[in-house]
Amino acid sequence: MKKIAFIVLLFLTCFCFGQISQENQIKETINNLFLGMKNADAKMVSSVFYENAILQTISKDETVKTDELKNFVSSISNLKKNDLDEKIKYSSIQIDGNLASVFTPYEFYFRGKFSHCGANSFQLVKQNNVWKIQYLIDTRRKENCKK
């Protein structure tokens, strides 16, 4: 009986550590996006997305605006280090095989001044053991922000 309990406990421990490891890899992908933005490193920003990734924003008038990935990456290369600083909090990470969904409330600063807040919703896909962002949609507002 002790042997069976040990095997079950070992299996559950491996499963839990595997899940934590996946979460850390997912967080690293997302953190690299914001680090690349902060460092004005377009190459780093580009590296976390699939080339056909979809970027969208829900605007104040409740329409959904789509931005081309190449335009977003290009805009990063036109900035200086520390122009952009997006501070996020991980609220929810859900994983099912090679699909992950991540929700992160955020505060956005432009050149050191508060600009807006909102929430990001990421869909990531794992291929060849690498997590990349396939879809990102966010909200943006200036009111009801906790600073």
Side-chain angles (χ1 to χ4, degrees), residues 11-26 95 126 131:
F11 173 76
L12 289 174
T13 303
C14 290
F15 176 76
C16 291
F17 283 124
Q19 185 77 4
I20 291 169
S21 176
Q22 291 294 312
E23 285 186 12
N24 287 339
Q25 290 173 12
I26 290 164
I95 304 168
K126 184 170 84 170
W131 287 100

Side-chain angles (χ1 to χ4, degrees), residues 2-3 15-16 18 38 41 44-45 50 52 60 76 91 93 95 98 109 112 115 127 131-132 135 138-139 142:
K2 287 182 182 180
K3 200 176 209 182
F15 176 76
C16 291
K38 187 170 185 162
D41 185 342
M44 180 179 235
V45 169
Y50 278 110
N52 63 343
K60 246 184 170 179
I76 298 298
S91 176
I93 299 176
I95 304 168
N98 293 331
Y109 295 81
S115 172
Q127 288 183 337
W131 287 100
K132 296 231 179 190
Y135 181 61
D138 64 56
T139 60
K142 292 185 182 272

Side-chain angles (χ1 to χ4, degrees), residues 28-90:
E28 181 179 12
T29 298
I30 293 170
N31 290 341
N32 283 341
L33 165 62
F34 297 117
L35 181 61
M37 288 169 55
K38 187 170 185 162
N39 290 330
D41 185 342
K43 187 175 180 180
M44 180 179 235
V45 169
S46 181
S47 74
V48 301
F49 288 99
Y50 278 110
E51 65 182 54
N52 63 343
I54 299 167
L55 307 175
Q56 295 182 314
T57 297
I58 302 170
S59 66
K60 246 184 170 179
D61 65 2
E62 299 178 357
T63 59
V64 178
K65 176 187 168 234
T66 302
D67 193 9
E68 294 289 327
L69 179 60
K70 65 181 179 183
N71 294 341
F72 175 68
V73 171
S74 177
S75 72
I76 298 298
S77 63
N78 294 326
L79 297 169
K80 294 179 184 168
K81 188 174 182 176
N82 295 317
D83 276 355
L84 305 179
D85 188 13
E86 187 160 335
K87 299 177 182 187
I88 65 169
K89 294 181 181 170
Y90 288 93

